[in-house]
């Protein structure tokens, strides 16, 4: 099965099991949006990633970034980034790489045992393309188009502000989509609620997954 085929099955599961997340899925990306993204990030995205974005261009409302609000995650506990958001997050990290402290930051980077040589021990790379993001921090699951000497271009890794140590989430995007479908079909990730504090007091919102859990942890457990 292709990544797009798997994603169609995943969307069908969302519609039945997490309707608020299903309703938050955005319309498809068109070819112009996909071409503009390639031009902006300086890399050609793999066809399997474009195939998924051509079905649903991320989610309509996210909980981080310039257009943030309360949006139910469309990936368990994670935002599904659109072409616009991928570009914006990638550009914000380009600014970090242009900063005067980039050499010190790069020395903070490392890899978990088992990923040596596969992933470069850096804090950030222009070849790391965010696809899914933590709802409240600049941490990502995304493409590694700048792998280590024994890695593979297009492998999936973790990276971001608090993800300075990296592990291999999946060998490619199609396998990542298979893992996502396997995880939700296992019954672990269900519709739920999350409570946030506002000026009017605490408010409860619909959510996807246990608010005390994180999909990064599920991917790391599979890596271990």
């Amino acid at each position: 099965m292709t990544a797009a085929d798997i994603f169609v099955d995943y969307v069908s599961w969302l519609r039945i099991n997490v309707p608020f997340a299903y309703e938050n899925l955005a319309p498809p990306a068109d070819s112009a949006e996909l071409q503009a993204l390639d031009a902006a990030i300086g890399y050609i995205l793999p066809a399997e990633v474009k195939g998924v974005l051509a079905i649903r261009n991320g989610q309509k409302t996210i909980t981080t970034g310039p257009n943030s609000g309360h949006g139910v995650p469309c990936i368990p506990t994670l935002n599904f980034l659109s072409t616009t958001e991928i570009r914006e997050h990638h550009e914000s990290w380009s600014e970090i790489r242009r900063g005067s402290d980039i050499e010190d930051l790069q020395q903070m980077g490392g890899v978990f045992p088992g990923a040596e040589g596969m992933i470069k021990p850096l804090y950030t790379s222009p070849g790391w393309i965010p696809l899914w993001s933590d709802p409240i921090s600049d941490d990502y699951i995304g493409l590694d188009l700048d792998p280590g000497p024994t890695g593979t271009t297009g492998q999936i890794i973790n990276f971001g502000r608090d993800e300075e140590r990296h592990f291999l989430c999946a060998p490619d995007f199609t396998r990542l989509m298979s893992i996502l479908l396997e995880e939700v079909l296992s019954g672990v990730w269900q519709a739920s609620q999350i409570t946030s504090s506002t000026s009017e007091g605490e408010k409860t919102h619909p959510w996807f997954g246990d608010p005390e859990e994180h999909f990064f942890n599920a991917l790391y457990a599979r890596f271990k």
Side-chain angles (χ1 to χ4, degrees):
M1 294 178 71
T2 67
D5 293 332
I6 298 165
F7 184 65
V8 168
D9 289 345
Y10 175 72
V11 170
S12 297
W13 183 91
L14 271 189
R15 182 176 59 83
I16 296 169
N17 294 277
V18 196
F20 283 109
Y22 174 79
E23 292 164 8
N24 197 27
L25 287 167
D30 60 31
S31 59
E33 289 173 306
L34 294 169
Q35 290 173 11
L37 177 57
D38 284 344
I41 64 177
Y43 289 87
I44 304 298
L45 288 179
E48 57 264 36
V49 175
K50 290 181 176 179
V52 166
L53 291 170
I55 297 171
R56 295 287 190 160
N57 189 10
Q59 57 189 72
K60 290 182 275 190
T61 305
I62 63 173
T63 50
T64 56
N67 302 313
S68 62
H70 175 74
V72 180
C74 292
I75 305 297
T77 74
L78 300 177
N79 288 326
F80 173 25
L81 299 180
S82 68
T83 52
T84 297
E85 287 148 2
I86 292 170
R87 185 184 71 245
E88 289 175 348
H89 283 271
H90 189 265
E91 287 176 353
S92 72
W93 280 88
S94 294
E95 293 179 10
I96 291 172
R97 286 188 291 273
R98 291 191 292 267
S100 59
D101 61 345
I102 184 58
E103 291 186 11
D104 292 335
L105 286 174
Q106 293 291 37
Q107 292 181 19
M108 293 170 55
V111 299
F112 281 97
E116 300 94 336
M118 303 176 70
I119 306 168
K120 291 183 177 178
L122 301 174
Y123 185 68
T124 175
S125 166
W128 296 351
I129 314 301
L131 298 177
W132 304 343
S133 73
D134 183 277
I136 60 173
S137 64
D138 294 327
D139 295 318
Y140 312 96
I141 300 299
L143 288 165
D144 181 4
L145 303 181
D146 180 30
T150 61
T152 304
T153 300
Q155 63 191 12
I156 306 297
I157 66 170
N158 66 310
F159 57 95
R161 187 184 67 187
D162 299 318
E163 294 290 316
E164 66 272 12
R165 294 185 71 198
H166 315 296
F167 63 92
L168 188 70
C169 303
D172 54 48
F173 184 68
T174 299
R175 178 55 186 150
L176 178 68
M177 295 307 300
S178 294
I179 291 170
L180 173 62
L181 186 61
E182 289 168 10
E183 284 285 327
V184 297
L185 291 178
S186 75
V188 173
W189 308 96
Q190 295 291 331
S192 61
Q193 293 182 327
I194 193 169
T195 301
S196 62
S197 298
T198 70
S199 58
E200 301 173 351
E202 292 191 340
K203 294 188 70 173
T204 299
H205 307 279
W207 196 247
F208 182 11
D210 184 343
E212 302 300 320
E213 191 47 88
H214 204 295
F215 200 70
F216 279 58
N217 296 335
L219 293 172
Y220 181 67
R222 285 173 174 261
F223 166 73
K224 289 177 65 179

